[in-house]
Amino acid sequence: MSLITLQGIGKSFKVAKRSAGFAEAVKALFVREHTIVEALRDISFTVREGEIVGYIGPNGAGKSTTIKIMSGVLVPDAGTCTIMGFTPWKDRVRYVRHIGVVFGQRSQLWWDVPVIDSFELLRDIYAIPPGIYRKNLDMLTEMLSLADIIRTPVRQLSLGQRMRCEIAASLLHDPAILFLDEPTIGLDAESKIAVRNFIRTINRERGVTVILTTHDMHDIEALAGRILMIGKGTLLYDGSLSELRSRYGTQKTITVDYKAGASPIDVPGVQCLSRSSGRAVYTFDSDRIDITELINRLSAGGELADVEIGSPPVDELILRLYKEHRV
Amino acid sequence: MRLYFKYMSILFKSQMQYRTSFLLLCAGQFFVPFAVFAAMYFLFERFGGLPGWTFHEAALCFGVIQMAFALAECFVRGFDAFSNLIVRGGFDRLLVRPRGTVIQVLGSNFEFTRFGRMLQSAVVLGIAVSGLPVQWTPGKIITLILMIIGGVVVFSGIYILAATFCFWTVQALEVANIFTDGGREMAQYPLDIYAKWVTRFFTFIIPFGAVSYLPLLYILDRTDGPDLLYMAMPLASLLFLLPCLAVWRIGVRRYRSTGS
C-alpha cells in the first residue's frame, strides 16, 4: 500500500523582477514587474511504506518545493497529495506530528544552549509522552553516539556532531516519515558514513520511510533503492539505481599510469577525461571497444605502470541523465 | 501557555550565556528612557508644565506607556523581530511543527534586556504614584494594571501587523516603527495636548488613548460620565488585537501559497 501519493502536483511562483540601480529600486516601490516561474509541473509518484527514496536534480529543479509541499509548508496550485491519509497543507497541525523534517542548511536546535535543552523543548512542542521520549532519547543517544555531546551548547559542536543532533531531534516524536533535505552537505567522510549508516538502520529497524534530497551520489548509492529525478520542475526518472546502471553501464572508465617519461596518447573512439604527465583517464563504451585491444593501443604511448578499469561513478550516470533531458 | 514559558526559559538561558553584554544592554535600557523622563522633568520645572497637567500626572501617563512598551518588547519580541525569522527561513521550520503559528512566533524570541526599561518604568510609576494626591482605591489600582496590560496588547497588535507585513516585503519595515516608537512617544503624554485628529487617530484607530488617557482621567477623578466606562476602556485594546490576528492569518495563508 502506498504511503505517499502525489498526483499531478503543480506549483508556480510569481517572481518580482529586480533591476540594479537606485532609480530602478525607487520605481520598484511603486510598480513591480513579475514573471511567473513554473517550479513544478504535473509531478506524480507514489512511495510505499519502508522505502528510502533519493530525490535528486540540479539546483533550482524543484526539489525543495516538492519537500515543502509534502511537509505541509506550501500549498500547491494544482494536483492532490495524500500522505498517510492526510492532505498535508489542509491538516497541517495533525499531519506534521507524523513526520520529521531535517533541513540540512538550517538548524532546528537552539544555538546557545546544550543540545538536551533543545530536545526537551521539542518534547514539549510535540507533547511526547515522557516514557516514549525517554526511550527514544536513549536509543538515539546510543545509535548516534551523542552521550558526550548532548550537554554541549550547539554553537560549540562541529558540523558533523550538529547534524547527528539534528537528525536525532527530528526523530524524537516517532515519525513514520523522515524528510531529509541535503543531510550530508558539508560533512567530513566519517560523519557522512555515520549519518548514512544511521539512516539505513532506522529504516530497517523502525520501518521509517525516508525521502532524501542530495547532491552527493554516494548517499544515493549507499541508501536509496529508488531514485526520483526532477529537472526544470518535471519528473524525469523514477526507477532503481541498478536500472540506471544497466542503461548506461556499458560505459567504462580506464585509468592508465605510465612509467616515467611517457606522454599519454589519444585513441580514436575513446574519450579522454583527464590527462597529466604519466597519467590519463579515458572513458569508452565496452560494447564497441575491446578492452585488451585498447590496453595494447594505449601501451604504445609508453611503458604502463598500472591500469585500472571501472564502471562510471554514479555522478556520471546522473550527469548523463541530466544531459539526455537537457537540464 | 505552559509551552510559552518553556520557550521563555530556553531563551533566557541562551541570553544568559552572554552575561556582560546582557547587563550592559539592561543598563542602557534603563538610562535611555530615563533621560527622556529627566528631560520632561526639567521642561515642567522651567516652563511650568503642560496646560492642565501637573508633573506627577504626566509622569503617571509616561510610566504606564513605558512599562507597557518594555513588557511588549520583552515578551512579544518574536513578532517584533519576525523579519529575521522570514529572512533566515525559520518560518518553514515552525510550519512543520504541530503547533499554531502565533504561539511559536511568540516563543521564537524574547528580549530580556528590557528588564532595564521595566525597572526604569517602575521607578517613574513610583515617583508618580507617591507624588499624586490620589486615594488609591482597589478600583483605581485595578484600572492602573489594566492600563498597562491594555498597552501591552496595543503594542502587540502593532507588532503583529508589522510582522504580517513581512509576508509581502521585508524591505519597508521602518514604516511600522512610526506606530510603535511614534505611538509610544505620543501616548506617553496625555493625549489632549495634541491636535484633534491626532487624538482621534490614537483613540479610534490605534487605541493608545483608550489605555492611557481615558482611564487616566478616572484615576485622577476627572471623569465626565459613568466611571465604569473609563475603567473598562483598556479592554478596547482587545478590539484592536482581534483584527490584527485575523490579518496575520491571511498573511500566513499567503506565505504558504507563495513561499516567500
Side-chain angles (χ1 to χ4, degrees):
Chain A
M1 202 198 105
S2 61
L3 189 71
I4 300 176
T5 310
L6 269 74
Q7 194 57 252
I9 290 287
K11 179 81 198 162
S12 47
F13 296 114
K14 222 174 170 188
V15 179
K17 274 192 212 159
R18 295 233 170 90
S19 342
F22 179 73
E24 289 296 323
V26 172
K27 211 180 99 194
L29 272 180
F30 304 100
V31 197
R32 279 275 184 86
E33 284 175 63
H34 294 283
T35 39
I36 304 285
V37 176
E38 230 178 345
L40 294 178
R41 199 177 319 156
D42 195 25
I43 300 282
S44 306
F45 59 83
T46 61
V47 176
R48 276 174 295 111
E49 200 175 336
E51 271 192 289
I52 300 186
V53 177
Y55 195 42
I56 57 171
N59 288 327
K63 297 191 299 287
S64 299
T65 307
T66 320
I67 297 280
K68 281 185 185 177
I69 288 171
M70 287 195 287
S71 55
V73 172
L74 274 183
V75 184
D77 304 332
T80 58
C81 170
T82 313
I83 301 180
M84 304 177 73
F86 294 98
T87 298
W89 56 90
K90 281 191 184 137
D91 244 337
R92 186 185 69 80
V93 171
R94 280 203 300 148
Y95 164 70
V96 295
R97 268 180 205 289
H98 303 286
I99 61 165
V101 187
V102 175
F103 296 114
Q105 318 225 43
R106 292 177 207 144
S107 181
Q108 60 176 319
L109 304 167
W110 280 259
W111 191 244
D112 287 315
V113 292
V115 179
I116 186 73
D117 288 358
S118 292
F119 286 180
E120 278 169 10
L121 185 53
L122 287 170
R123 176 196 63 198
D124 296 324
I125 292 174
Y126 283 92
I128 308 169
I132 293 177
Y133 172 73
R134 202 60 263 162
K135 198 187 84 216
N136 284 343
L137 182 64
D138 290 345
M139 179 203 73
L140 292 164
T141 307
E142 204 207 299
M143 285 171 79
L144 287 160
S145 357
L146 302 179
D148 295 335
I149 53 175
I150 207 160
R151 310 218 165 259
T152 315
V154 177
R155 70 186 136 92
Q156 290 170 13
L157 298 180
S158 72
L159 197 57
Q161 292 173 326
R162 214 193 73 203
M163 186 51 70
R164 268 149 52 201
C165 295
E166 297 279 352
I167 293 176
S170 62
L171 287 168
L172 289 168
H173 57 285
D174 272 337
I177 306 173
L178 184 59
F179 294 100
L180 299 165
D181 195 4
E182 306 198 16
T184 56
I185 197 163
L187 301 190
D188 61 28
E190 196 193 339
S191 308
K192 274 187 186 175
I193 288 170
V195 165
R196 284 179 200 140
N197 284 342
F198 175 74
I199 294 172
R200 239 193 332 253
T201 313
I202 51 141
N203 171 258
R204 208 172 35 217
E205 289 179 10
R206 319 198 85 204
V208 177
T209 306
V210 180
I211 314 271
L212 80 149
T213 74
T214 184
H215 287 294
D216 186 338
M217 291 310 149
H218 295 106
D219 289 349
I220 299 289
E221 215 160 357
L223 293 172
R226 180 172 164 211
I227 304 173
L228 291 173
M229 193 185 95
I230 187 175
K232 288 184 187 154
T234 357
L235 199 61
L236 300 176
Y237 180 81
D238 179 354
S240 69
L241 190 59
S242 48
E243 264 171 64
L244 192 64
R245 264 197 210 290
S246 62
R247 191 175 334 170
Y248 299 107
T250 57
Q251 203 72 21
K252 304 271 183 199
T253 57
I254 178 164
T255 308
V256 193
D257 283 317
Y258 290 99
K259 285 194 173 154
S263 57
I265 54 161
D266 280 323
V267 179
V270 176
Q271 198 194 341
C272 182
L273 292 177
S274 75
R275 184 197 316 238
S276 58
S277 81
R279 173 170 247 228
V281 183
Y282 304 91
T283 169
F284 64 98
D285 190 338
S286 61
D287 270 357
R288 283 189 290 161
I289 289 181
D290 184 64
I291 294 181
T292 341
E293 201 194 311
L294 177 64
I295 295 175
N296 279 336
R297 297 181 77 169
L298 287 171
S299 65
E303 205 180 337
L304 301 182
D306 192 14
V307 176
E308 195 184 310
I309 298 167
S311 301
V314 187
D315 278 301
E316 247 159 68
L317 292 181
I318 299 298
L319 209 62
R320 291 180 145 267
L321 205 56
Y322 287 177
K323 272 191 188 146
E324 191 175 292
H325 292 283
R326 290 191 208 92
V327 295
Chain B
M1 202 63 200
R2 227 186 96 233
L3 186 62
Y4 179 75
F5 287 112
K6 298 273 182 183
Y7 276 123
M8 198 186 296
S9 109
I10 203 166
L11 279 150
F12 188 67
K13 265 194 200 168
S14 298
Q15 294 191 11
M16 281 306 127
Q17 294 285 314
Y18 308 97
R19 203 156 306 172
T20 318
S21 148
F22 176 79
L23 289 174
L24 285 174
L25 282 168
C26 274
Q29 286 294 324
F30 180 85
F31 285 112
V32 171
F34 204 74
V36 178
F37 178 67
M40 186 172 109
Y41 172 78
F42 289 121
L43 276 175
F44 271 86
E45 190 86 322
R46 179 73 186 75
F47 300 108
L50 299 166
W53 296 89
T54 69
F55 169 69
H56 288 104
E57 287 165 354
L60 189 65
C61 190
F62 183 93
V64 164
I65 289 298
Q66 285 286 342
M67 181 61 98
F69 182 72
L71 289 169
E73 274 216 313
C74 175
F75 296 110
V76 194
R77 182 71 174 179
F79 279 102
D80 194 20
F82 183 66
S83 59
N84 290 334
L85 211 55
I86 284 282
V87 171
R88 295 197 196 140
F91 195 61
D92 290 345
R93 166 62 58 204
L94 296 193
L95 288 174
V96 301
R97 291 194 175 137
R99 295 282 182 163
T101 52
V102 172
I103 174 78
Q104 291 194 79
V105 173
L106 277 176
S108 69
N109 208 335
F110 293 90
E111 192 50 70
F112 296 106
T113 57
R114 297 306 187 262
F115 285 158
R117 197 185 267 266
M118 286 174 214
L119 187 66
Q120 180 270 149
S121 317
V123 170
V124 172
L125 281 175
I127 293 173
V129 167
S130 63
L132 279 175
V134 166
Q135 273 279 307
W136 286 98
T137 60
K140 287 188 177 173
I141 293 169
I142 290 170
T143 307
L144 187 64
I145 293 168
L146 276 182
M147 284 164 78
I148 293 171
I149 295 172
V152 175
V153 172
V154 173
F155 280 118
S156 307
I158 298 173
Y159 290 151
I160 292 171
L161 279 185
T164 307
F165 209 57
C166 292
F167 290 124
W168 278 266
T169 173
V170 286
Q171 291 174 327
L173 274 185
E174 290 301 310
V175 177
N177 291 350
I178 298 176
F179 299 108
T180 49
D181 295 340
R184 182 195 70 216
E185 293 299 320
M186 298 293 263
Q188 66 195 7
Y189 302 106
L191 275 182
D192 71 343
I193 65 172
Y194 300 112
K196 259 255 146 31
W197 69 270
V198 177
T199 315
R200 283 204 184 119
F201 180 80
F202 280 112
T203 304
F204 296 110
I205 310 293
I206 302 180
F208 276 117
V211 300
S212 67
Y213 176 69
L214 291 172
L216 192 67
L217 294 180
Y218 162 70
I219 289 183
L220 302 175
D221 296 313
R222 295 195 196 159
T223 48
D224 181 20
D227 281 352
L228 203 63
L229 193 66
Y230 286 86
M231 286 172 73
M233 260 302 152
L235 299 178
S237 59
L238 292 173
L239 296 180
F240 175 64
L241 186 64
L242 290 177
C244 294
L245 286 171
V247 175
W248 169 255
R249 279 176 178 282
I250 296 172
V252 172
R253 200 172 311 144
R254 183 197 136 92
Y255 177 85
R256 294 179 65 199
S257 67
T258 60
S260 57

